Amino acid sequence: MTIGKNLIIILTVFLITNISYAVETKEEFATEKPSIKLHKKSGQSKSMAEDFVRKNKKWKIGLNPRPEDKGGDFFVSVGTSAIAFDNSFANFGDARQDAFDIAFLQSKKQFIKFMGQRISTNIVNERKQGSYAQPPEPGTSEMENLMDEMSSFEEGKKLRTLINLKLDQALRDAGYEDPSTPEAAEEAEKIIKTKEFSKSIEAAAEHRIAGFQTYKVFEISDGNKGDISVIGLWSNKLNLLADALSTGGDIPSGTPKKALMDQIPTQNTDEDIIRWAFSYGARMTTDENGNPSILSFGHASPLFDDVDEWTDACDQAILQAESFIAVFANEIASYKENLNKAQNTKMFEDNANLNNLKSETKQIKNYYKKLETSGYIDTAGSEYLDSIEIQHPASEQALECIAAVGWNTSLRTSGENIKNTNVAAEKITLDDEQETDETKEEEEDEDGTSYSGESDEADDDF
Amino acid sequence: MKLMMIFSFVFFSPQSFGLEKQLIEEYKKIRSTIEDKKFAMSDNYYFLFGSVTVEDYEDDIEFIAEANAYENLDVYAFNLICWPDYLDTETKVKIFYRYLEVNPLFDFNKNITVLKKEKKPNDLINITYVFDRENNFINFPNTEQLGFINSCQ
């Protein structure tokens, strides 16, 4: 009788409410604090994400200054997409994944914009302060030395140097023979704001995207319509980890060292099951041996509830997770390689993809396909970690198998040709802003019943 | 506790499905053979099977796989015929397609639906299509209709 009563209460609560969900990754690397929040309105994941950034984290969307000893400045951006699924729910897993892909692309584009603005500001300031006062003349031995020296430059500096060289040429074309005069600096500010030059800067900014990854995902659904918002984060430390991943160099100090198996959710608690439900795509981490690694999650829906169909769906989810590893690693490696090779900004302009990519599933899939097969890194040997079969809270018909797959650089069989030990890596110090908030909310509000859960605690040496 | 109860319910409750129960039951009977035979027929449905290798996602995968499913159906229909041994394959194919020009496999076909899409390793995508037999009819030619004596009986 008590069981019956409980079931009625549960059913009533569940049916009268609408749903929103969120999962985040802890500062740069680890997952933390997934939450589920029941919500009546759809289309609000973006404001929830923005509120989270501004109110909960006290961050800004865009550039966030942070002391160098804590990892330096970082960028936060938000992208949103509707979940386009039909009523059959047979493609529910695909539809959610597609929405995530679009939202993630949007957040990347926003990052490129912010990074571009920062590059422009830095260049203008450097010129005004005279720190770019005596640029080498083209064709001279000084210029040759600079080009040689550039390979050892830190990524951001190299990029700014190449843009400055292009700017010098633009100034000369505009009649400023000496680009270091105050007048030339003023003209440089105007040139840098032109549409054409902005494009070059954004193409260059795109080449700093290695390391950009999902920090937290918000998802809202009323059972029919839903949307996903992705908070993306980029920091120097993440960029250096991306460097280590693509080149086999040292990992930044302070990155977590934990077995990949221990970094995925368990299936033992409700909170962890929710974490599974909202884990998307690929992200960087390190394994217990300190190897730069990628954790990836794939989603697929069975045609209906049946052992054979679940088996097929889980096979699909594993394949999808494996392909995300290849996409993620190759994207990082391709940008890093372009940066290494670049002798001028044309390399960036010719190889910029993201800003021109339409926020459409087909285009994104096509882009992913090209990356997956580009062969910058061989991600063969990825390791299946675990999978879970769930019924999504959005609908009892929405079944999903979610699979987790891991890969680390010790499994890499190629890509060593671009090895370039990252000497700057160990200079980055531990970001000790560990979240220890273990609060569990359960509240009633006018939109319905709200819940929040939490993930595992971050590793001690993170 | 309430949270735990709710999710216990959510994750382990009985489910209902978007697909018709009848279709599910009939699909279950043929699914082990569809990939092999590329065609199956149950009491109320026709199941066609097409594959496509994904070279470029710009292409319309479902359209290409559907074309392949119809080709597979032709092959299935071709293999139903008890061909005389004295004919070479080229002649058999000519006869077969000449017959289909006058007597197409489908008198009419509508409401073809993608039932299942599966990505396989090496960029292969398999798609199972379903037609209901109420609105669609496939005229499989038999040996006699092609003018041969059925020596396979």
Side-chain angles (χ1 to χ4, degrees), chain B residues 37-101:
Chain B
K37 294 187 173 173
K38 317 284 187 207
F39 173 80
M41 187 164 53
S42 65
D43 292 343
N44 296 287
Y45 299 97
Y46 293 121
F47 297 92
L48 274 66
F49 186 89
S51 299
V52 58
T53 305
V54 188
E55 295 297 336
D56 190 341
Y57 274 94
E58 298 285 353
D59 291 330
D60 192 336
I61 290 163
E62 287 177 18
F63 178 78
I64 297 168
E66 190 178 332
N68 180 249
Y70 287 121
E71 281 170 23
N72 290 337
L73 177 65
D74 288 352
V75 172
Y76 181 87
F78 181 90
N79 288 332
L80 288 178
I81 294 158
C82 178
W83 293 98
D85 293 339
Y86 56 83
L87 291 177
D88 60 26
T89 306
E90 198 181 336
T91 311
K92 289 176 193 172
V93 170
K94 271 186 189 165
I95 294 169
F96 180 72
Y97 279 107
R98 182 66 57 84
Y99 178 85
L100 290 190
E101 277 175 22

Side-chain angles (χ1 to χ4, degrees), chain A residues 2-72:
Chain A
T2 313
I3 294 168
K5 263 186 184 174
N6 279 342
L7 272 178
I8 290 166
I9 293 165
I10 292 161
L11 184 61
T12 310
V13 170
F14 190 70
L15 291 180
I16 61 170
T17 53
N18 299 311
I19 309 157
S20 76
Y21 329 91
V23 169
E24 70 181 288
T25 53
K26 195 168 172 75
E27 307 292 349
E28 289 150 324
F29 299 107
T31 53
E32 71 145 31
K33 282 176 82 71
S35 61
I36 177 161
K37 193 170 184 183
L38 303 186
H39 209 277
K40 271 186 180 170
K41 296 168 190 168
S42 65
Q44 291 196 345
S45 62
K46 188 179 178 189
S47 42
M48 288 177 72
E50 289 178 347
D51 280 355
F52 173 82
V53 170
R54 290 172 182 140
K55 294 175 186 169
N56 294 38
K57 303 303 291 185
K58 314 279 186 211
W59 292 342
K60 283 187 292 185
I61 291 171
L63 172 65
N64 288 265
R66 185 169 59 171
E68 278 302 318
D69 62 353
K70 291 197 169 183

Side-chain angles (χ1 to χ4, degrees), chain A residues 1 79 103 112 149 193 212 234 252 282 319 335 343 432:
Chain A
M1 188 60 192
I112 291 167
E149 211 185 320
K193 284 177 184 162
F212 181 87
W234 183 97
L319 270 176
Y335 285 124
Q343 295 285 304
D432 56 4

Side-chain angles (χ1 to χ4, degrees), chain A residues 288-308:
Chain A
E288 70 274 33
N289 300 315
N291 292 309
S293 308
I294 297 174
L295 265 181
S296 174
F297 293 86
H299 294 235
S301 296
L303 196 53
F304 47 85
D305 184 18
D306 169 274
V307 174
D308 289 349

